[in-house]
Amino acid sequence: MKLRPLHDRVIVKRIESETKTASGIVIPDNAAEKPDQGEVLAVGPGKKNDKGELSPMSVKVGDRVLFGKYSGQTVKVDGEELLVMKEDDLFAVIEK
């Protein structure tokens, strides 16, 4: 199944954080926090402004982004958990 987000929405796949600390301590799954980083899988066309013109999106497919722990709506597609959120819910793009 392919998803195509509408308007100013993006589809993000969470990037799992390290399950081991720098000192080598393994963190169990139930104690680990939800990751707040992800990879953008799909981007909508953009949001219309007051004049009816389409404002382009600031993110593109493949960008690594930061978002709030409870941002977006979780959906399951082909057994994979994805997030659908507005572009405004994203905090930053992680530059390489």
Side-chain angles (χ1 to χ4, degrees):
M1 177 189 310
K2 287 189 86 174
L3 290 178
R4 183 176 50 95
L6 301 175
H7 309 294
D8 63 337
R9 292 195 168 48
V10 295
I11 297 177
V12 177
K13 178 182 177 184
R14 285 187 195 271
I15 296 174
E16 295 301 321
S17 57
E18 290 290 322
T19 57
K20 192 189 293 188
T21 64
S23 60
I25 298 171
V26 177
I27 302 169
D29 288 340
N30 58 356
E33 292 185 8
K34 285 185 176 180
D36 55 359
Q37 291 184 30
E39 180 183 353
V40 176
L41 299 180
V43 178
K47 187 175 184 178
K48 289 191 177 182
N49 62 17
D50 295 339
K51 298 176 185 174
E53 301 165 341
L54 201 61
S55 300
M57 300 286 276
S58 303
V59 295
K60 61 186 181 307
V61 174
D63 281 349
R64 280 185 72 158
V65 292
L66 291 177
F67 50 87
K69 291 196 185 305
Y70 304 106
S71 296
Q73 178 67 39
T74 304
V75 295
K76 212 166 210 178
V77 178
D78 295 334
E80 189 171 31
E81 229 178 67
L82 303 174
L83 289 170
V84 179
M85 62 180 74
K86 287 191 167 209
E87 185 183 31
D88 293 343
D89 292 340
L90 300 175
F91 296 148
V93 175
I94 301 170
E95 300 289 336
K96 294 180 182 182

